[in-house]
Structures are given as structure tokens and as C-alpha cells.
Amino acid sequence: MPKYLSISLSVAIFLIFGYTLFQNALNAPSFDDYDATVNFIRRFFFENFDPRIRFEIMLGRQNEHRILVSKVVAAGYYYLFGEINFTHLVWIQNIFLFAFFALMLAIMQNRKLLSADTVLWAAIFLLSLAFWQVTFYYWGGIQHYSVFFFSFLLLYSLERAERIVSSSFFIALFAGLFAVLSFGNGFIALLLGCFLLFAKKKKSLLAAWSVITVLLTLFALFPRPASVDHIQNAFNFEWMGRLLFTYLGSFLFINPATGLHFNIILCMITGLLVFGTWLWLLWNGYAFRRPLLYCLLSLPILTGIIIAVSRFESKAAGGIAPRYMFFTATIPVLLVLILLDMQILKKQHLSWLTGIGLVLWSAVFYNDRQALISQNEEVVTTLRRWERDPETPLIYYRDSREYGEILTWAVANGVVKIPGGQNHLIDNENRK
């Protein structure tokens, strides 16, 4: 594909994605926002004034995750403006996505793989609506975008570090801490950092990083939260495998899919190939020759294994959840970089791949934009029903009383604004 055409298409994807973001970011809480954001504001600013308790609230778990970045951004916004505007928070969280995209370009440059075609290939998958639940809702994106940004930054910086007392090692330490404090899978990057340093034979750095990894991993994983749901069914390897392989190939999923079962099977077969390729790269020694790219690829794969073990009961359907698809969007980008690096894939082949990728991006954009609009309309409708009848469940799979009480408090204290009053909760009802 001609250079300037690839650049023009990358810019077009960026502009379309940005325009869609500004048009469809909804100023309304939904799902986890009621507890993780609105109730957090109540506990932090209204109910507890002791500095020690506030510190514990800020660093405490949200179920099995520590979500410090989410809390800090929400608290900072409320402190400055005296209310929570979810549209603005969604815009802020997407800064992490754009920063992640820029970091991917830096990694390409580091491996001498940066070109107009690789930039376009990255844009096709990283500026997609496939993971619209992460892009457009604060409860998802602020955690997923930040954890992968800090995890990739950790590995990139460790690869460049030569001494413990160096800016690169300090950045890696900073990124590792915030990866752990962003979301539950951040500790994986710490372990991959150990592998990277081992492969690079940086013994003194490995010794120091191993200590850091143990301490931060213990902090990330223990003590186990009492609120985590208990598994009702006996563990099933087949269900886990269905979820894992579907997840690993979900970057090919088009929602809503005509021929859903065929689409899931295609994702599952693709995921099996991805998993096999990952093992093959370890077997043939590439993981030790190019540990940075291998570790970056390992991050979404190992995340998928954790998801498959903990959510196995959802079977294949759990592998195509839009909230996980940002993680898997990195897989085709990294696989192409690895195949280019190994010279298995040639630049002329990449031109053909980007053409296919553009068709996929267009189909995903059209279908998932409809899903986004439908979800936004459902959120607005639910809030208006709740306004008329406070017994209306705000989250369809949860009892209405707890979240209704949280929203009632938030409205009364001006933390959020309801539709139908002088100030509207919904600033923009999905301009179509």
C-alpha cells in the first residue's frame, strides 16, 4: 500500500474514532460506576475525614482489583469541579489509549519496524469500536487502558535499562507500581519483567527486580478480598478452553454477528493458532532472542488464561465480551511485528493484510456503533424509569436498593445530575 495512502487512512481512522468518542460519550453512571466511582466519592469526601482512612479507601480493593488510577482521576475531577461529569471522565480515560498507541509506535521504532503500514495496522485494531464498553464507559476504560499503558511502559523501560541507578529502571519501577494499582492483571507485567531481564542476562537488574516483583505481587494479590464471588460449579477444563481460545481470537469478532456460531468458531480456531504460535516462539528460542516483543505478546495471553480460569462458567461467550477486547486488540499488532522481525512476513504481505483489516474495522465500526447507541439509550431509559419509580433496578442483574440509594444520595448532594430537572444528567443523548 502506498506510504501516503497508509498515512491518510491512519489519520482518517483516528479522526473517525475521535469524532465518535466526542459524540457518544454519555454523562451518566452505569454498571460499576455506581459503586466504584459515585460511592467512592461519597466515602472519600463525605463520610471519612481521617487521613489514614482516606488513604485506605484510595488504595483499597474494588472486588479483586486495586483501581487507584480510576479513583485518583475521579477524586481529582470532583475536587476541582464539585461534581462528576462522566462525559469528561471518559474523555480523560481515553488519553491513556492515545498514550498507549504512541508507546506502541515507540516500540516499533525501537525494533526498527516503524512504517506507514505498521502504523495503519496498529490503528485498525487499537482505534476500533470492538471494545466499545471500555472506550465509552468510565468503569471499564480507565482501568483497562491504564493497566496496559503502564505494563507496556514497564517492559519497554526494563529492556532499555542497563543499571539499577538509571532513569529507565526508575520509570520501570514507577510503571510497575501503577500497573499493579490500575487493575488486577498488572502483576503479570512484573513477572514478565523478570523473564525479560533473565533473557537479556542482566543479572544485577534481575536480582533487584525479583525483590520488587515479590513485594508488589504480594501487595497485589493478598489478602484475598472476602467479597469475591465463590464459584458455584466444579472447574471445567473444556469450558475454560472454549473461553480462552475464543478470547485469544476475539479480535476477529464482529458484533452483532450474522452467523454468531460461525463467528465464535472462527475466533476459537484463530485463538488456538495464536496460543500455538506463542508456545512455538518460546520453543524455537525467539522468546530469548527478542524478549521484549515476546513479553508484550504474553501479557494479553496470560491475562486471557486468568480470565478463563476465573470466568470459565461463561464458556465461549465470555471470550467475546467487549470489555476484554482491548486486551486482545494488541495480539494481531504484536504478532505482525514479531513475524516482520523474524522476516516470515514481508512488507508486501502487510499491505494485503491491512486491506483485509480495513474491511474488518469498517464492519466492526458499523455494528458496534449500533450496539453502543442501543446501550446508551438503555442507560438513559433506565435512569428515567428510576426517576419515576425508585424501585427500578439500575443494573438488571443486581438488587435495585443499594444502587438506587447511592444515586439518590448523589443527586441530593449535587455529585451527579438527574434528567428532567434544571440540570440534566444526560448532556448528549447519542446524537446519531
Side-chain angles (χ1 to χ4, degrees):
M1 189 173 293
K3 176 180 178 180
Y4 293 108
L5 178 58
S6 294
I7 293 173
S8 299
L9 289 170
S10 298
V11 171
I13 288 175
F14 181 89
L15 293 176
I16 293 170
F17 182 88
Y19 178 78
T20 306
L21 173 63
F22 277 92
Q23 285 292 100
N24 293 277
L26 196 65
N27 182 19
S30 61
F31 296 97
D32 293 349
D33 280 327
Y34 290 109
D35 190 27
T37 306
V38 180
N39 199 37
F40 159 72
I41 293 296
R42 175 167 68 171
R43 294 175 63 216
F44 189 80
F45 285 100
F46 290 84
E47 294 182 351
N48 296 284
F49 301 99
D50 182 272
R52 181 183 62 82
I53 296 177
R54 282 185 166 185
F55 181 77
E56 291 175 354
I57 291 171
M58 190 67 79
L59 284 181
R61 294 176 182 274
Q62 183 70 27
N63 297 323
E64 67 268 35
H65 307 288
R66 299 188 192 273
I67 55 171
L68 178 67
V69 175
S70 173
K71 293 176 179 178
V72 167
V73 173
Y77 188 95
Y78 179 80
Y79 179 80
L80 291 174
F81 301 104
E83 66 178 30
I84 290 295
N85 184 304
F86 284 94
T87 297
H88 295 168
L89 291 181
V90 166
W91 293 347
I92 292 169
Q93 80 182 13
N94 277 272
I95 293 174
F96 280 101
L97 173 62
F98 299 132
F100 179 80
F101 187 86
L103 180 59
M104 283 298 307
L105 300 189
I107 292 167
M108 292 178 189
Q109 179 66 32
N110 177 264
R111 295 266 68 92
K112 297 182 171 57
L113 296 170
L114 183 64
S115 68
D117 282 342
T118 54
V119 171
L120 177 57
W121 183 251
I124 286 170
F125 290 98
L126 299 182
L127 300 177
S128 168
L129 290 196
F131 41 91
W132 57 273
Q133 287 181 340
V134 179
T135 302
F136 292 92
Y137 300 109
Y138 187 69
W139 51 265
I142 188 63
Q143 299 160 23
H144 290 203
Y145 290 157
S146 59
V147 71
F148 257 41
F149 171 75
F150 287 119
S151 295
F152 274 53
L153 180 61
L154 179 165
L155 295 167
Y156 177 64
S157 299
L158 268 189
E159 202 264 349
R160 295 165 63 87
E162 297 296 335
R163 303 183 310 278
I164 295 176
V165 182
S166 65
S167 59
S168 294
F169 193 81
F170 177 79
I171 291 171
L173 176 59
F174 171 85
L177 176 62
F178 276 88
V180 165
L181 293 174
S182 293
F183 200 56
N185 60 338
F187 78 96
I188 299 174
L190 301 170
L191 302 174
L192 290 172
C194 291
F195 177 86
L196 186 150
L197 293 173
F198 175 78
K200 299 285 286 186
K201 299 180 180 179
K202 298 180 179 181
K203 296 181 180 179
S204 60
L205 291 178
L206 175 59
W209 190 257
S210 296
V211 174
I212 293 168
T213 296
V214 170
L215 293 176
L216 287 181
T217 300
L218 290 174
F219 174 70
L221 299 181
F222 300 101
R224 300 302 299 161
S227 60
V228 174
D229 294 335
H230 294 289
I231 295 174
Q232 298 297 319
N233 296 323
F235 186 78
N236 188 303
F237 278 100
E238 180 191 351
W239 294 358
M240 186 206 78
R242 289 190 204 176
L243 196 161
L244 175 61
F245 296 133
T246 305
Y247 160 91
L248 292 177
S250 63
F251 55 85
L252 294 181
F253 185 73
I254 300 173
N255 173 54
T258 301
L260 177 63
H261 293 295
F262 172 79
N263 204 329
I264 289 177
I265 291 171
L266 175 62
C267 291
M268 198 178 296
I269 293 172
T270 302
L272 182 60
L273 292 174
V274 168
F275 191 77
T277 301
W278 179 62
L279 295 178
W280 174 72
L281 291 171
L282 180 64
W283 177 262
N284 75 1
Y286 181 85
F288 295 92
R289 294 193 301 274
R290 291 286 192 272
L292 175 60
L293 290 178
Y294 185 77
C295 286
L296 295 177
L297 176 63
S298 299
L299 185 60
I301 293 175
L302 293 175
T303 296
I305 292 174
I306 292 176
I307 292 171
V309 170
S310 61
R311 302 280 189 268
F312 72 91
E313 291 171 307
S314 58
K315 305 176 189 176
I320 54 173
R323 66 184 180 276
Y324 297 142
M325 287 187 188
F326 169 66
F327 297 148
T328 61
T330 61
I331 291 175
V333 178
L334 291 164
L335 277 177
V336 160
L337 293 180
I338 288 171
L339 294 176
L340 286 171
D341 187 53
M342 298 177 74
Q343 298 184 342
I344 294 175
L345 185 69
K346 306 299 181 182
K347 290 185 177 180
Q348 58 267 31
H349 299 150
L350 183 56
S351 295
W352 286 99
L353 281 178
T354 52
I356 297 171
L358 286 168
V359 174
L360 176 65
W361 184 91
S362 300
V364 167
F365 181 89
Y366 176 81
N367 286 283
D368 281 303
R369 183 175 177 273
Q370 302 306 310
L372 167 63
I373 290 172
S374 176
Q375 182 68 73
N376 279 355
E377 290 175 346
E378 182 179 333
V379 170
V380 173
T381 300
T382 299
L383 286 168
R384 288 182 172 168
R385 286 177 180 168
W386 172 85
E387 192 179 13
R388 293 191 298 270
D389 177 12
E391 295 300 317
T392 300
L394 291 169
I395 303 177
Y396 67 88
Y397 54 85
R398 293 284 178 88
D399 187 283
S400 64
R401 286 168 291 184
E402 178 184 359
Y403 296 104
E405 187 274 330
I406 290 171
L407 185 57
T408 299
W409 170 88
V411 170
N413 287 274
V415 176
V416 297
K417 298 174 182 177
I418 61 171
Q422 293 181 348
N423 296 308
H424 294 277
L425 180 63
I426 312 305
D427 284 344
N428 54 334
E429 276 189 53
N430 266 336
R431 290 173 293 222
K432 299 181 183 178

